[in-house]
Amino acid sequence: RQMDQQGQAAFDPRVCFVRLRKVRGDGFVEFDFAIGEPELSVELIMPVAAFHEFCHTNHAIQITPVEDAMLPGAVPPDFASDA
């Protein structure tokens, strides 16, 4: 990410992020989607195939658990599948 004059990451609306929360047993994926900065996101749910297409279409950067832990106020993801 580019930096602004104060050394902060510059907001770029062309950059998208996804944070995987949960892969459910019923074939759906729960995830967070952010535009421009990963700290501000919305929660979404969709079928696995649609999730992959969504990420591809938006050129989304997947935030790993390690990267997620470095974000302010981050909550650890739940990768367990529902039975």
Side-chain angles (χ1 to χ4, degrees), residues 10-32:
F11 181 82
D12 185 348
R14 298 169 296 174
V15 179
C16 298
F17 302 90
V18 294
R19 179 184 301 113
L20 186 63
R21 291 288 177 194
K22 189 175 195 177
V23 178
R24 298 177 3 170
D26 61 359
F28 284 85
V29 177
E30 296 177 12
F31 66 102
D32 297 331

Side-chain angles (χ1 to χ4, degrees), residues 18-52:
V18 294
R19 179 184 301 113
L20 186 63
R21 291 288 177 194
K22 189 175 195 177
V23 178
R24 298 177 3 170
D26 61 359
F28 284 85
V29 177
E30 296 177 12
F31 66 102
D32 297 331
F33 178 65
I35 297 174
E37 55 185 61
E39 297 87 358
L40 182 61
S41 62
V42 295
E43 296 178 28
L44 298 173
I45 182 171
M46 59 183 62
V48 172
F51 169 75
H52 290 296

